Amino acid sequence: MKFPAIAVGSLFVFSHFAQATPLKVVASFTILADITQQIGGNEVDVKSLVAANGDPHSFEPSARDSRALAQAQVVVVNGLGLEGWMDRLVSASGFKGQITVASTGVHTQSMLEDGKTVIDPHAWNSLANGEIYAQNIMRALEKADPQHATDYAKRGEAYIEKLHQLDGWAQQQYAAIPNNRRIVLTSHDAFGYYGQRYGVRFSAPLGLSTESEASAQQVAKLIRELKQRRISHYFTENQTDPRLVRQIASATGATPGGELYPEALSTADGPAATYLKAFKYNTEQLVQSMH
Ligand SMILES: [Zn+2]
């Protein structure tokens, strides 16, 4: 947005222009972009850097992404080490504004990975955390665009209520399933917070980042564990190469349960076009495999 030359009358033109132009928001990946869109409505123009079905861990930003960031009025990231590529992009773009870290205030979980304790970044997969994300994004929009603060608050509160309802629904779904059946094999460790919240145990050949690699030894150990636990189903993930998890599944006799959407929404015509739809779809598929 170019500031008009200071002249008599330009103030009116400027304020009129500001009212009609939506707030420019850049979010690092599709789930954050959707939460922002749900709360921001017509008052925001949201761009996701990582596209639908894209991997947020191993993203390679383009010059276009850098330009979008430079023009942004609000930038929303997950934090917790998810977007390892973000710092470099921010400094390349020259963006000087405030960055909203959507996970701020979440009670984090860690995992042991190759002997090191690593914070799990996938906090949004528990809807209790999703409510915190929505709060943080709602406040960031209110602050950046106080003129529409009541709109953001109204839509934000209604959206948080929906998250709350869906969280309760998911707990009910799992309550009917015995503990020893709540075991799932997926590609990478994206469901730590989900597992903690809804009482499901997840195993995966890849660690907290899809960029990690599994050694032959780790794979052999995982296959032994899965056989012991008599795991019956495995799931692929929309944003990750399914070959490794398929290979492991075939060695254990597990059958395909379907495709999950842990960290990238589908395109608009897919089954997981919003955060709420993705969560519901994932839960329905997981629960179905346990019956
Ligand atoms: Zn991940």
Side-chain angles (χ1 to χ4, degrees):
M1 191 192 302
K2 282 213 182 81
F3 224 89
I6 303 296
V8 180
S10 67
L11 259 181
F12 170 73
V13 174
F14 179 69
S15 68
H16 180 74
F17 180 64
Q19 234 170 15
T21 310
L23 189 72
K24 282 200 174 102
V25 185
V26 170
S28 57
F29 72 115
T30 47
I31 288 170
L32 301 182
D34 176 59
I35 298 173
T36 308
Q37 187 66 66
Q38 303 294 335
I39 299 171
N42 288 333
E43 272 75 59
V44 296
D45 172 11
V46 189
K47 176 189 161 64
S48 175
L49 294 173
V50 178
N53 298 312
D55 181 337
H57 299 278
S58 62
F59 176 63
E60 283 173 27
S62 67
R64 234 174 110 190
D65 296 322
S66 183
R67 281 197 297 277
L69 205 63
Q71 287 166 11
Q73 291 162 285
V74 174
V75 171
V76 185
V77 302
N78 181 72
L80 308 179
L82 178 75
E83 305 100 334
W85 42 270
M86 195 71 193
D87 285 354
R88 222 176 327 148
L89 178 63
V90 168
S91 55
S93 74
F95 176 76
K96 294 277 191 299
Q98 190 75 32
I99 293 177
T100 300
V101 180
S103 66
T104 302
V106 160
H107 183 71
T108 57
Q109 291 178 202
S110 302
M111 276 184 92
L112 204 60
E113 208 167 89
D114 299 327
K116 273 198 304 189
T117 305
V118 185
I119 290 180
D120 182 350
H122 307 89
W124 63 86
N125 278 325
S126 149
L127 288 184
N129 291 337
E131 291 180 36
I132 296 174
Y133 277 52
Q135 287 274 3
N136 288 331
I137 292 172
M138 179 174 74
R139 287 205 196 100
L141 296 179
E142 287 170 1
K143 202 174 153 200
D145 182 16
Q147 231 181 340
H148 295 108
T150 44
D151 298 311
Y152 299 134
K154 205 168 132 196
R155 276 191 298 257
E157 295 301 341
Y159 183 65
I160 288 165
E161 182 52 34
K162 274 193 205 167
L163 294 175
H164 197 71
Q165 301 268 340
L166 196 58
D167 182 58
W169 169 84
Q171 301 207 355
Q172 269 177 7
Q173 299 299 302
Y174 285 111
I177 296 164
N179 258 323
N180 63 357
R181 293 202 56 86
R182 298 191 210 163
I183 307 173
V184 178
L185 170 63
T186 55
S187 288
H188 88 297
D189 283 321
F191 288 96
Y193 294 87
Y194 185 102
Q196 174 77 19
R197 179 83 185 160
Y198 307 106
V200 183
R201 274 177 297 166
F202 288 86
S203 291
L206 299 181
L208 289 173
S209 171
T210 51
E211 290 183 300
S212 62
E213 273 174 45
S215 68
Q217 253 180 336
Q218 286 170 320
V219 168
K221 188 168 164 255
L222 182 61
I223 290 172
R224 274 199 309 276
E225 278 174 16
L226 294 172
K227 278 184 176 163
Q228 264 168 15
R229 289 181 181 178
R230 294 166 194 270
I231 207 142
S232 62
H233 288 85
Y234 76 92
F235 289 85
T236 55
E237 299 172 7
N238 67 317
Q239 84 301 352
T240 307
D241 189 329
R243 281 176 294 187
L244 182 60
V245 71
R246 276 194 190 134
Q247 187 195 328
I248 289 167
S250 74
T252 64
T255 54
E259 189 175 49
L260 301 176
Y261 293 79
E263 57 190 22
L265 299 180
S266 68
T267 50
D269 55 349
T274 68
Y275 173 46
L276 288 178
K277 281 185 184 163
F279 179 89
K280 189 149 191 267
Y281 184 79
N282 290 344
T283 301
E284 281 171 345
Q285 293 220 95
L286 290 168
V287 166
Q288 209 169 40
S289 81
M290 294 168 191
H291 278 301

